[in-house]
Amino acid sequence: MTILLVGFGAALGAILRYQLTRIGNHIASEFPLVTFLINLTGSFCLGWLTASQLSQPMTLFLGVGVLGGYTTFSTLNSELSQLWFRRRYHIFLGYWFLTYGLGLLVAAAGFYAGL
Amino acid sequence: MKIKESLAVGSFAFFGGILRYLIGLVLNQPTGFPSGTLCVNLIGAFCLPFLMRYIVARLHLSDQLALAIGTGFFGAFTTFSSFSVDAIRLVNHQQWSAFAWYVGISMVGGVLLSLLADYWAVRLTQRTEEEGDGQ
């Protein structure tokens, strides 16, 4: 049962990420802004959710499922690799450090906001 | 709206998310090091670019299947939100060395594995083309 909650949550989160990426493709920029914003908003929300201590099924559905499917680590690194191969070293470094630096900050901010 | 594509992404994400959850159950310790999330993320960081830039081209998979595997399965299999919240949890428990290792391995290991996968995919594609030319 919990497995189904996680699975359906992940499906919803991934569809939301796909739709946002599709809309964001119209913005021509070399910086992968959509994935960047998805990962930051997802980190903030999961921080909040973790501090809120909802019931376990709800946490599994929203946290492990929806937010786990919404945010992504593989696309982040795939985009970083492409920036490196296209010799966009400044964007590579900016995307790399901003994602991790701000990701940790907003997760902490979400956590303290939810306490 | 791309309903068909959305359903393809969603159905593959369903399994990606469940697999991540199961690996986490086995490997993540509630108070300790988030090994499950780390393993899942590093596997995905290598497999996504390798699949997208070699396997898909090699097997002539359709755009829709590539989207379902890449955006759906691997997008949901790996996660950034758990990474950042796991790291904050280590800070809250004052496990500084675990925090440093976790962030360091994720940050450096993830990008190195993706670079390796892309580099390897390019090399294999070139070799395949050369073999093709020789026939």
Side-chain angles (χ1 to χ4, degrees):
Chain A
M1 186 59 212
T2 51
I3 279 187
L4 291 181
L5 282 176
V6 170
F8 280 113
L12 283 176
I15 290 170
L16 181 59
R17 175 166 40 83
Y18 166 62
Q19 293 291 350
L20 288 174
T21 308
R22 233 168 41 81
I23 295 162
N25 277 345
H26 301 307
I27 310 162
S29 97
E30 290 217 296
F31 188 91
L33 192 64
V34 180
T35 310
F36 179 71
L37 292 175
I38 284 171
N39 281 338
L40 293 187
T41 49
S43 293
F44 181 87
C45 292
L46 189 65
W48 183 299
L49 199 76
T50 305
S52 303
Q53 296 191 320
L54 301 171
S55 66
Q56 210 209 355
M58 207 60 190
T59 304
L60 279 173
F61 175 69
L62 291 174
V64 182
V66 174
L67 291 172
Y70 172 65
T71 61
T72 176
F73 186 84
S74 49
T75 305
L76 156 71
N77 286 290
S78 186
E79 284 165 344
L80 280 170
S81 171
Q82 285 301 295
L83 286 168
W84 181 270
F85 275 98
R86 290 203 303 269
R87 303 213 172 100
R88 302 288 187 269
Y89 301 121
H90 288 105
I91 302 173
F92 170 92
L93 286 172
Y95 185 39
W96 197 30
F97 282 100
L98 280 174
T99 294
Y100 284 96
L102 292 176
L104 293 174
L105 272 178
V106 299
F111 187 83
Y112 290 112
L115 282 175
Chain B
M1 275 308 286
K2 300 261 185 189
I3 300 287
K4 219 169 112 181
E5 282 82 358
S6 298
L7 288 175
V9 166
S11 53
F12 275 65
F14 180 86
F15 294 105
I18 286 176
L19 191 58
R20 169 169 44 83
Y21 172 61
L22 293 177
I23 291 174
L25 281 184
V26 176
L27 293 178
N28 284 337
Q29 286 99 30
T31 52
F33 198 76
S35 317
T37 310
L38 186 61
C39 277
V40 159
N41 277 344
L42 293 179
I43 291 167
F46 180 85
C47 290
L48 173 77
F50 189 74
L51 274 158
M52 288 300 109
R53 284 182 261 285
Y54 182 69
I55 305 286
V56 167
R58 188 75 206 267
L59 300 179
H60 309 294
L61 299 182
S62 70
D63 286 352
Q64 199 167 317
L65 187 56
L67 176 79
I69 295 169
T71 303
F73 182 83
F74 282 106
F77 180 59
T78 64
T79 176
F80 187 81
S81 50
S82 287
F83 157 79
S84 29
V85 172
D86 284 342
I88 296 303
R89 196 178 282 123
L90 292 172
V91 170
N92 283 343
H93 294 155
Q94 281 150 25
Q95 294 171 293
W96 301 111
S97 76
F99 169 81
W101 279 110
Y102 185 52
V103 173
I105 295 170
S106 297
M107 198 171 163
V108 178
V111 78
L112 280 181
L113 283 166
S114 276
L115 283 165
L116 183 71
D118 269 337
Y119 173 77
W120 211 21
V122 170
R123 285 285 307 272
L124 284 168
T125 307
Q126 282 171 345
R127 194 184 303 167
T128 312
E129 281 167 2
E130 280 165 17
E131 283 169 3
D133 292 342
Q135 283 166 5

